[in-house]
């Protein structure tokens, strides 16, 4: 699945509510506990279906007083409530608040608090709110809160948007771009707006995310498909797809997923990146940034920038250019630049 972390300090991650609504369990938590909820939570696998977790900072003047909201598709039993309480030890002794959220309130709830995000030149708003408030000259995208991650309201996505904007302002140009773990398609849309002549492919391990990307593309007048200026969409884990292999090497690769997969995919991404190419990584905690950067240094990439949007890092790495091979090169053929072979494991 695509990949903004759970525990969104801004809005959280809405899901498709059942026809009779959902149930919300609310507990206080600390900032540290909220950050911890951004990682993988194996204990949630004990619940079927697992709840959707949302964290928020109700009062900016009380930076350590956060709130956890857990949304269930059915009324949770005592065991489920205990499991959620165990995630936030600071709430011991606090009675959890449990309430039913009717279906007719879900859309309103999912859009509440989704103030437009301004990152670089980009203005990201929901279809219902914020379009008219966009600053002059901004690039606007309407992205609905819904079935996929990547609405732009989490700092990881906003950080990637800001990074892309800075690269364009600095004069960088890219002709072959991949967005891995695209979620809602937003980062691929943003890249296309910055480099309209580039070939762009967006992938996600979750077929639902690709469906959502198609819907968002239509809403934002972004063409999808294999046409030269369209965004090609692929369901794949990492770069494990013939189309993704065939289109490599990439001079810009974006991956807003989680720290664990980013480390595992380091050899794959490094191999798929052209010499001198740019890699943008997000979806990791600050405490995970060094481990992720180290995994890519071992693959011949250097860390060019470690930027934060809020408390979440966005890493920009550059693949070192290959040294020219000794000896004579045939006219018109670059020697020593390496190549991408579809026979290699991805």
């Amino acid at each position: 699945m695509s990949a903004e972390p759970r525990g969104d300090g801004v809005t959280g991650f809405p899901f498709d509510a059942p026809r009779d609504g959902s149930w919300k369990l609310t507990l206080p938590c600390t900032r540290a506990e909220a950050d911890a909820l951004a990682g993988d939570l194996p204990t949630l696998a004990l619940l079927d279906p697992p709840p959707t977790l949302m964290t928020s900072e109700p009062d900016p003047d009380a930076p350590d007083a956060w709130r956890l909201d857990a949304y269930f598709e059915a009324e949770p039993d005592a065991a489920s409530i205990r499991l959620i309480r165990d995630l936030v030890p600071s709430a011991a002794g606090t009675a959890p608040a449990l309430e039913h959220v009717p279906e007719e309130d879900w859309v309103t709830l999912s859009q509440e608090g989704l103030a437009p995000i301004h990152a670089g030149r980009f203005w990201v708003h929901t279809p219902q709110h914020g379009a008219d408030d966009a600053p002059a000259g901004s690039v606007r995208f309407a992205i609905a809160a819904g079935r996929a991650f990547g609405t732009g309201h989490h700092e990881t996505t906003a950080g990637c948007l800001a990074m892309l904007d800075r690269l364009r302002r600095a004069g960088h140009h890219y002709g072959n771009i991949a967005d891995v773990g695209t979620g809602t398609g937003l980062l691929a849309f943003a890249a296309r707006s910055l480099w309209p002549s580039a070939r762009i492919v967006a992938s996600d391990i979750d077929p639902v995310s690709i469906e959502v990307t198609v819907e968002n593309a239509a809403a934002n007048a972004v063409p999808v498909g294999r046409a030269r200026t369209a965004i090609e969409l692929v369901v794949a884990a990492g770069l494990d797809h013939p189309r993704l292999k065939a289109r490599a090497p990439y001079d810009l690769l974006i991956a807003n997923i989680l720290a664990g997969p980013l480390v595992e995919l380091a050899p794959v991404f490094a191999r798929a990146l052209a010499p001198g190419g740019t890699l943008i990584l997000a979806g990791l905690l600050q405490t995970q940034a060094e481990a992720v950067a180290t995994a890519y240094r071992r693959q011949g990439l250097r860390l060019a920038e470690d930027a934060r949007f809020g408390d979440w890092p966005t890493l920009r790495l550059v693949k070192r250019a290959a040294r020219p091979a000794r000896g004579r090169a045939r006219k018109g053929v670059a020697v020593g630049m390496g190549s991408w072979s579809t026979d290699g494991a991805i």
Side-chain angles (χ1 to χ4, degrees):
M1 170 153 63
S2 63
E4 288 183 341
R6 290 183 181 271
D8 187 339
V10 181
T11 61
F13 304 107
F15 59 93
D16 286 338
R19 292 190 178 277
D20 60 349
S22 60
W23 288 81
K24 181 174 73 168
L25 176 69
T26 301
L27 285 164
C29 66
T30 66
R31 173 60 185 272
E33 289 168 339
D35 286 346
L37 294 175
D40 294 329
L41 301 174
T43 55
L44 291 185
L46 299 174
L47 303 178
D48 185 22
T52 295
L53 304 185
M54 300 169 64
T55 59
S56 58
E57 183 182 21
D59 183 1
D61 294 329
D64 197 46
W66 281 54
R67 184 180 72 205
L68 166 64
D69 293 313
Y71 288 87
F72 293 83
E73 293 186 12
E75 184 175 6
D77 57 20
S80 298
I81 293 174
R82 283 196 301 272
L83 188 148
I84 298 301
R85 291 188 61 162
D86 289 343
L87 297 176
V88 286
S90 67
T94 301
L98 182 64
E99 63 177 299
H100 181 249
V101 181
E103 179 189 10
E104 59 269 24
D105 292 340
W106 178 252
V107 172
T108 300
L109 175 66
S110 68
Q111 304 294 341
E112 279 182 357
L114 293 189
I117 293 297
H118 192 195
R121 72 189 68 193
F122 299 108
W123 183 264
V124 185
H125 59 92
T126 67
Q128 292 83 4
H129 306 290
D132 296 336
D133 300 324
S138 61
V139 177
R140 296 183 296 176
F141 291 110
I143 304 292
R147 297 179 293 162
F149 298 152
T151 63
H153 291 85
H154 194 278
E155 288 95 330
T156 59
T157 308
C160 289
L161 291 171
M163 181 73 75
L164 291 171
D165 180 71
R166 286 200 300 276
L167 288 171
R168 184 64 183 86
R169 292 183 189 279
H172 292 270
H173 293 278
Y174 302 103
N176 194 19
I177 301 171
D179 175 20
V180 178
T182 194
T184 61
L186 175 59
L187 296 180
F189 301 167
R192 182 181 180 275
S193 74
L194 297 174
W195 298 285
S197 62
R199 298 174 66 242
I200 301 175
V201 60
S203 68
D204 203 287
I205 194 172
D206 185 359
V208 172
S209 290
I210 298 302
E211 294 174 7
V212 169
T213 296
V214 171
E215 296 168 2
N216 287 331
N220 290 278
V222 175
V224 296
R226 294 193 180 183
R228 182 66 177 81
T229 59
I231 297 175
E232 184 173 356
L233 302 178
V234 175
V235 177
L239 292 174
D240 190 13
H241 191 281
R243 288 296 300 166
L244 294 168
K245 296 177 184 181
R247 295 182 63 142
Y250 302 98
D251 51 8
L252 174 61
L253 198 158
I254 310 160
N256 181 19
I257 50 179
L258 296 173
L262 287 177
V263 170
E264 293 175 8
L265 287 166
V268 175
F269 286 169
R271 184 173 173 81
L273 200 63
T278 297
L279 178 64
I280 297 175
L281 304 179
L284 57 148
L285 299 168
Q286 189 62 42
T287 55
Q288 301 167 324
E290 182 56 34
V292 172
T294 296
Y296 286 86
R297 288 192 192 101
R298 292 171 178 165
Q299 301 299 324
L301 279 74
R302 64 176 179 85
L303 180 62
E305 188 175 358
D306 180 351
R308 288 195 189 187
F309 200 98
D311 293 328
W312 299 83
T314 302
L315 306 183
R316 177 170 67 88
L317 300 105
V318 177
K319 184 174 180 178
R320 295 183 177 90
R323 294 180 179 179
R326 293 183 178 181
R328 298 179 60 186
R330 290 179 296 166
K331 184 177 180 181
V333 178
V335 176
M337 293 301 288
S339 63
W340 173 265
S341 170
T342 57
D343 296 331
I346 289 188

